[in-house]
Amino acid sequence: MAKKILVLGSSNVDLILKIPRFHDPGETIRCENSITVFGGKGANQAITAKQLGGDALLMTKVGHDPYGKSYRQYLIKKGLHSKLILEDKKLPTGMAVIELTQKGENRIIASLGANGSLSVRDLKTLAPYWKEVGIFITQLEIPIETVEMGLKWAKDHQALTLLNPSPAIKLSPRLLSLVDFIVPNEVEAQFLTGIEWKEAKDIRKIAQKLLEMGPKNVVITLGSKGLFFLNETEEIRMKAFKVKVIDTTAAGDAFMGALAHSLSRGKPIREVLRFANAAGALATTKLGAQPSLPSWKDLDRFLSRIN
Ligand code: RIB
């Protein structure tokens, strides 16, 4: 039977600005067009797991404002439990400004808003929902004490813990020792370890250092170069699927959601990584965070065309 997945993390409103190129300090450029969509790493990862057919819950916080109200309704419509979508009475809903170039590269600035007040106390009020949680995912767009408490509770419940260390900050050995799977991208992995990736073989060094820092499994996502996996007994390199890239936003979130979904079904690690790799690739073929997250049908069709 599939395990229950609990995602603890952010909900943001994303303002996407399509620009011709990343510009220089002091320079003003015109944006080609802009759109506003729902995003936030926590919500993106939970929705992916849910759309893939997982038994997923999302613990998050929005603001007491029009964005917060419509986001809450949207999450409920997506099948996420209303009681776990908290509301901050003072702070605004989290917001991310995403600069997106014609090549599909992005730069993101996230303003935490209500996500920044998702507290340990809030977690305590939601204690009953931890029952039977088998997979726990979190990221770093909420307070670090809440992240650590979530990981600790997940371990107390014998759940498998997944950390997407984004946006990257330095993490304590105590927190890292609670992590079963750490899933940074290449930039985050270099920041966390302090090792610069200069040549191909450095990726192994970076992953090895991450393992020594506490987590039991390391998955470094490498964008168009695929992924690198390392644990005590196994090393796996996987190429990226070739797709036409429109927007890389939330590709990492689709990867995380699919990784959790596949682990919740007890699949072998190669299959788990391939599935997540495909979800990440598919998410780059559409504009925006949540509009690009794959469903089970999308992913199944994509993988069967490749086989
Ligand atoms: O990972 C993509 C997400 O990062 C966006 O949806 C944005 O909200 C930021 O949190």
Side-chain angles (χ1 to χ4, degrees):
M1 207 179 80
K3 291 181 177 157
K4 189 156 143 187
I5 302 167
L6 173 61
V7 183
L8 171 67
S10 59
S11 297
N12 292 333
V13 171
D14 291 353
L15 172 63
I16 306 174
L17 304 174
K18 288 186 88 180
I19 51 173
R21 61 183 166 82
F22 293 129
H23 59 307
D24 294 325
E27 185 188 6
T28 303
I29 55 166
R30 275 160 75 152
C31 151
E32 289 156 3
N33 68 47
S34 66
I35 56 162
T36 305
V37 295
F38 291 132
K41 296 181 195 300
N44 297 344
Q45 295 174 16
I47 288 177
T48 304
K50 192 89 196 167
Q51 283 185 178
L52 294 175
D55 180 7
L57 292 172
L58 168 67
M59 282 183 186
T60 193
K61 206 175 218 182
V62 294
H64 181 65
D65 50 22
Y67 277 143
K69 280 206 179 68
S70 51
Y71 204 166
R72 200 160 186 283
Q73 280 162 9
Y74 170 81
L75 290 172
I76 294 167
K77 225 162 132 190
K78 283 278 174 191
L80 294 160
H81 199 310
S82 62
K83 289 269 166 32
L84 281 73
I85 309 163
L86 307 177
E87 197 182 89
D88 189 288
K89 293 283 172 247
K90 293 196 190 115
L91 294 167
T93 299
M95 162 76 72
V97 174
I98 303 181
E99 297 176 354
L100 175 67
T101 68
Q102 282 158 348
K103 288 190 211 152
E105 300 163 315
N106 69 34
R107 282 200 312 210
I108 303 180
I109 307 166
S111 162
L112 296 192
N115 298 303
S117 76
L118 184 55
S119 63
V120 167
R121 201 153 152 222
D122 289 330
L123 278 197
K124 290 188 178 153
T125 65
L126 299 175
Y129 297 95
W130 284 80
K131 227 173 105 204
E132 286 165 19
V133 166
I135 309 276
F136 174 78
I137 321 181
T138 193
Q139 326 73 27
L140 302 176
E141 283 185 333
I142 57 171
I144 194 67
E145 311 78 56
T146 313
V147 169
E148 186 166 341
M149 182 55 91
L151 288 165
K152 187 169 175 322
W153 278 18
K155 288 278 64 159
D156 291 348
H157 285 77
Q158 279 85 46
L160 202 62
T161 56
L162 279 57
L163 174 68
N164 176 214
S166 180
I169 53 168
K170 292 287 178 203
L171 298 168
S172 71
R174 194 182 55 209
L175 185 148
L176 287 167
S177 69
L178 298 167
V179 177
D180 291 311
F181 280 78
I182 190 160
V183 191
N185 65 21
E186 58 196 276
V187 178
E188 292 149 0
Q190 290 176 80
F191 173 84
L192 291 171
T193 57
I195 303 176
E196 218 182 308
W197 184 9
K198 294 195 198 118
E199 46 184 332
K201 67 175 175 24
D202 291 343
I203 194 66
R204 193 178 188 288
K205 229 197 281 172
I206 294 172
Q208 181 60 43
K209 175 80 197 270
L210 276 171
L211 267 191
E212 285 160 16
M213 290 165 78
K216 295 178 191 57
N217 299 273
V218 174
V219 187
I220 305 179
T221 57
L222 304 171
S224 60
K225 297 185 285 299
L227 66 84
F228 185 82
F229 169 86
L230 189 70
N231 68 12
E232 248 188 24
T233 54
E234 219 171 344
E235 175 177 324
I236 301 173
R237 285 168 201 265
M238 214 171 259
K239 286 193 176 142
F241 290 98
K242 290 230 171 344
V243 290
K244 187 174 178 322
V245 177
I246 305 287
D247 176 8
T248 52
T249 310
D253 299 332
F255 186 98
M256 285 299 293
L259 187 78
H261 172 81
S262 208
L263 287 170
S264 78
R265 280 164 161 71
K267 303 278 185 204
I269 193 65
R270 267 184 197 277
E271 204 180 310
V272 167
L273 293 173
R274 183 169 186 271
F275 189 70
N277 204 15
L282 259 191
T284 67
T285 62
K286 287 190 196 146
L287 180 65
Q290 286 179 19
S292 73
L293 301 174
S295 66
W296 173 260
K297 218 166 107 195
D298 297 332
L299 209 47
D300 192 43
R301 201 181 309 139
F302 179 72
L303 282 168
S304 57
R305 258 195 249 136
I306 282 157
N307 282 332

